[in-house]
Amino acid sequence: MHKARPTVRKVRGDRRRLAALAVLFVLLVGGMELLALKLGAFNVPFAGDDAPTAMADHAVTSTH
């Protein structure tokens, strides 16, 4: 009589596929991090108003 053990092979295949997906996910996230660092190094002007920042202007508010 033939003993069937398809569940063991299926578990091994699932583990191998899960490990491959985990490695792929780590590489994808790492690549996105590197891309974000590279893009963050550029001085990209954003469209919109060139309004002054919300910093206190000490020349105007001083009462000397």
Side-chain angles (χ1 to χ4, degrees):
M1 180 167 228
H2 178 66
K3 290 187 178 181
R5 292 176 47 180
T7 55
V8 175
R9 289 181 185 165
K10 185 176 186 306
V11 170
R12 284 184 187 162
D14 286 344
R15 280 188 188 160
R16 188 173 291 148
R17 188 176 64 193
L18 187 62
L21 285 175
V23 170
L24 182 66
F25 180 74
V26 168
L27 290 176
L28 182 67
V29 170
M32 290 174 67
E33 288 286 336
L34 287 175
L35 183 64
L37 286 173
K38 294 257 185 207
L39 288 177
F42 293 128
N43 187 11
V44 180
F46 292 103
D49 296 338
D50 287 335
T53 57
M55 293 174 56
D57 189 3
H58 294 290
V60 174
T61 58
S62 65
T63 58
H64 289 281

